[in-house]
Amino acid sequence: MVEGGIQRIDQTEFKDCLKLIFRQPYVLRLAFSAGIGGLLFGYDTGVISGALLYIRDEFREVDQKTILQETIVSMASVGAIFGAAAGGYLNDRIGRRLSILIADCLFFIGAIIMAVAWTPGIIILGRVFVGLGVGMASMTAPLYISEASPARIRGALVSMNGLLITGGQFLAYLINLAFTKAHGTWRWMLGVAALPALLQFILMLSLPESPRWLYRKGRTEEAENILAKIYPSHELDREIVALGESVESEVVEEDPNKENIITRVRQAWGNPVVRRGLYAGVGLQIAQQFVGINTVMYYSPTIVQLAGFASNKTALALSLITSALNTVGTVISIFFVDRSGRRKLLFYSLIGIIVCLALLGGIFIGVAKHSPAVSQVETAHFGNLTCPDYQVNQATSWNCMKCLKTTTDCGFCSHAGDLLLPGACLASNPTTKNACHGEHRSWYTRGCPSNFGWLALIGLALYIISYAPGMGTLPWVINSEIYPLRYRGLCGGMAAVANWIANVIVTLTFLSLTEALGVAGTFLLYCGVACLCFIFVYHVVPETKGLPFEEVEKMLAAKRLKPVDPGVSDEHQIT
């Protein structure tokens, strides 16, 4: 049933979305134009992994200082925290459409600043602007789409925004490859994001504001004109009446003196219905990050190397595959989000994540146990290039993993004939690396040669496929559906802020965790967190599939996780 109705359709299929798009192409135009914000979101968070390689080549201080590299990478996420917070406030104050236009300006300015940057500090400044735009787009685009979509296909259209996010990440990897030979390399990689920002700005100028927001502001005639373009004529009157009644009831309940943002946040958490929505929405956004996705998306080349693939080119190529799988998984979500329901898809996704993380933990235990030995003969072959710790200890039982974990900076040079035979433990520096490569050997500084490497890649691929259709897209879908209109922008902003804070935490701790717990221990830790997330979803997250916003609010008020089935008494409903 479309938004505002009193019924719901239990079996809403993706083909309904295609049919409606052909009958009402205006809906697709609204969704696609707003979804370009998702494309920018994905592109600007993914492009830095490749651009950083060339930034290091141009700026010596960046190459020498890890803290500068980390700052350049993470500053967009930090900016996104503040962008999401500001976006939540601006969405309610000035509207969804104008908030998207502001985000486009931030994207455009940030891209131009980075493209012309003459110092690392200027690049960081550009990353802050881009991050502000990412934060605003991350919660505004799905909100605009959800409020301009019929309820029975709302999930599919909001998931299209998720598809554009993953598509933007994949595009970033392709652009990185395209500009590797171009003069200016990283400047083109970072600056090209200005083009989709400009395109969306132009498209949004010709599109209307969210009809629900307009109705809320008393601009009923404008809202009704937009609804007439979205809904078939036989459903229009019913939608207008339902929307009017919903807004009027909210106005009656609202405190007319409520203007201060702190007061609004306090009142949101003080409202039992909104609070239950926040528990589910904010919790899902945190869970989305804490199951470890950005360890794969931001550090996939590193993980590939930890699995035993030494070549940078190989690591980058395999990382492109993980990004492509993320996009495929999001397409799966679009097909099933309105067919299977939100909760069921989340359960399937988390089960797959738990199994894959456990598998990865076991694989990396195997990688560590079957690491090639260090040979004194092979090490002595390189003369005075021996690892200082190995030389001092005169170790006879060292293996590759022990060599890489020494207190000094050491690397492993593989056997010339067979990667799995004993190799040499050497000091890690350009001279040693060149000497190792000069004898057609492989040089390892992160992971070790292993027969388990391909299993690790399969585990990563299955993890991405499990993650993308459920935990990858549904937290954004549910957060666009679960809050009452008067709190939707504010609560969506709080949930997005929580997502980006969790993003920063995961991004800044992954490498430290691998050093403290080992790679296997780190993945097993994420596996345990994913188990807790499964329990959380089962007990807290409601089913919003195909429901009008008003029906979701009634369900939360009744403390139910699923809507009432007219044929079953209340005491038999799942709670």
Side-chain angles (χ1 to χ4, degrees):
M1 188 63 194
V2 290
E3 177 185 317
I6 58 175
Q7 300 175 337
R8 68 185 183 93
I9 293 177
D10 293 324
Q11 299 296 326
T12 303
E13 300 184 5
F14 185 71
K15 63 182 181 181
D16 293 336
C17 182
L18 296 178
K19 289 179 180 178
L20 184 64
I21 285 171
F22 284 116
R23 292 198 304 264
Q24 302 284 108
Y26 187 72
V27 176
L28 179 61
R29 182 183 168 195
L30 290 172
F32 177 76
S33 298
I36 295 176
L39 180 76
L40 286 162
F41 174 173
Y43 185 88
D44 282 309
T45 54
V47 70
I48 194 62
S49 61
L52 185 63
L53 300 177
Y54 299 94
I55 293 173
R56 289 168 55 184
D57 290 341
E58 183 162 337
F59 298 105
R60 183 174 177 81
E61 61 268 41
V62 175
D63 189 45
Q64 293 178 331
K65 296 180 180 179
T66 302
I67 185 64
L68 265 179
Q69 298 174 38
E70 293 174 339
T71 302
I72 290 172
V73 172
S74 63
M75 198 52 61
S77 297
V78 174
I81 295 172
F82 296 97
Y89 176 76
L90 292 175
N91 266 272
D92 285 340
R93 296 292 296 179
I94 65 175
R96 290 40 163 159
R97 173 177 169 272
L98 191 53
S99 294
I100 291 175
L101 291 173
I102 292 174
D104 287 330
C105 292
L106 293 169
F107 279 125
F108 187 86
I109 293 171
I112 298 302
I113 288 175
M114 290 186 292
V116 301
W118 56 93
T119 67
I122 301 301
I123 298 175
I124 292 171
L125 177 63
R127 292 288 288 170
V128 171
F129 272 93
V130 164
L132 291 169
V134 166
M136 291 188 67
S138 68
M139 53 83 57
T140 305
L143 182 62
Y144 181 89
I145 295 170
S146 70
E147 293 185 346
S149 306
R152 67 176 178 273
I153 64 165
R154 188 173 60 222
L157 289 178
V158 175
S159 290
M160 189 177 74
N161 181 68
L163 173 62
L164 288 169
I165 292 175
T166 56
Q169 292 171 337
F170 183 69
L171 178 63
Y173 284 104
L174 291 178
I175 293 294
N176 283 343
L177 291 174
F179 284 111
T180 52
K181 301 296 184 180
H183 178 69
T185 55
W186 63 269
R187 297 181 185 276
W188 285 104
M189 295 174 182
L190 299 175
V192 76
L195 296 178
L198 181 61
L199 173 63
Q200 185 181 44
F201 187 91
I202 294 172
L203 290 175
M204 291 303 299
L205 287 176
S206 64
L207 292 176
E209 181 54 78
S210 157
R212 296 184 65 85
W213 186 86
L214 289 172
Y215 221 110
R216 174 72 173 158
K217 296 300 180 180
R219 296 158 63 178
T220 56
E221 185 176 350
E222 291 180 62
E224 290 172 3
N225 289 336
I226 297 167
L227 291 173
K229 297 180 180 180
I230 296 174
Y231 292 101
S233 57
H234 65 278
E235 296 177 350
L236 180 59
D237 290 340
R238 179 177 55 195
E239 294 302 326
I240 292 174
V241 171
L243 180 59
E245 291 176 350
S246 173
V247 171
E248 288 171 7
S249 66
E250 290 173 354
V251 171
V252 171
E253 295 177 13
E254 193 172 55
D255 180 2
N257 297 319
K258 173 171 59 58
E259 292 292 340
N260 185 279
I261 184 65
I262 297 176
T263 302
R264 295 199 65 204
V265 170
R266 187 182 299 117
Q267 290 187 348
W269 282 101
N271 184 310
V273 174
V274 180
R275 184 169 62 248
R276 292 185 194 105
L278 282 167
Y279 286 153
V282 173
L284 268 180
Q285 294 286 34
I286 294 173
Q288 184 189 62
Q289 297 298 325
F290 278 6
V291 295
I293 181 58
N294 280 323
T295 64
V296 177
M297 298 314 297
Y298 292 168
Y299 294 109
S300 56
T302 300
I303 295 172
V304 169
Q305 290 182 333
L306 288 169
F309 296 90
S311 168
N312 285 339
K313 290 183 179 179
T314 301
L316 289 172
L318 293 173
S319 298
L320 182 62
I321 294 175
T322 63
S323 179
L325 289 172
N326 196 22
T327 304
V328 171
T330 309
V331 173
I332 295 173
S333 174
I334 293 176
F335 275 90
F336 287 100
V337 66
D338 282 324
R339 178 195 296 265
S340 301
R342 285 43 162 168
R343 278 170 59 88
K344 185 180 294 186
L345 213 52
L346 284 172
F347 289 144
Y348 289 154
S349 178
L350 282 167
I351 290 171
I353 288 170
I354 291 167
V355 171
C356 292
L357 288 173
L359 174 65
L360 285 168
I363 289 170
F364 279 102
I365 289 175
V367 169
K369 282 189 175 182
H370 296 85
S371 172
V374 172
S375 165
Q376 291 184 342
V377 174
E378 289 287 317
T379 302
H381 171 75
F382 289 91
N384 60 357
L385 298 179
T386 303
C387 168
D389 278 6
Y390 180 79
Q391 194 171 31
V392 168
N393 291 293
Q394 291 295 308
T396 57
S397 60
W398 275 33
N399 61 18
C400 173
M401 293 300 295
K402 178 68 175 177
C403 174
L404 299 186
K405 291 183 177 180
T406 57
T407 54
T408 54
D409 195 10
C410 296
F412 182 80
C413 184
S414 71
H415 189 276
D418 188 335
L419 292 176
L420 299 179
L421 291 177
C425 184
L426 308 175
S428 181
N429 56 57
T431 300
T432 306
K433 179 179 178 181
N434 291 335
C436 181
H437 284 162
E439 297 190 6
H440 304 290
R441 302 171 181 236
S442 295
W443 177 246
Y444 295 84
T445 57
R446 294 188 181 276
C448 294
S450 170
N451 281 328
F452 296 89
W454 287 106
L455 283 177
L457 293 178
I458 292 172
L460 286 174
L462 292 175
Y463 171 86
I464 290 291
I465 292 173
S466 298
Y467 175 89
M471 290 300 294
T473 57
L474 288 178
W476 299 105
V477 173
I478 291 173
N479 269 279
S480 71
E481 299 174 329
I482 202 169
Y483 308 115
L485 175 60
R486 61 189 179 279
Y487 292 112
R488 193 163 298 144
L490 177 68
C491 293
M494 285 192 283
V497 168
N499 182 287
W500 286 107
I501 291 175
N503 182 314
V504 172
I505 292 172
V506 170
T507 304
L508 293 180
T509 58
F510 175 66
L511 293 179
S512 298
L513 285 173
T514 58
E515 292 178 1
L517 304 177
V519 182
T522 301
F523 280 116
L524 291 176
L525 173 64
Y526 289 135
C527 180
V529 172
C531 291
L532 295 177
C533 293
F534 185 94
I535 297 171
F536 166 81
V537 170
Y538 183 83
H539 288 287
V540 178
V541 178
E543 178 58 72
T544 58
K545 169 194 166 186
L547 293 177
F549 291 116
E550 297 77 20
E551 191 67 29
V552 174
E553 187 172 351
K554 291 177 184 177
M555 190 170 62
L556 291 172
K559 300 182 181 180
R560 292 193 301 267
L561 296 181
K562 290 188 176 181
V564 174
D565 186 334
V568 182
S569 61
D570 282 352
E571 59 266 24
H572 291 97
Q573 295 296 325
I574 297 176
T575 60

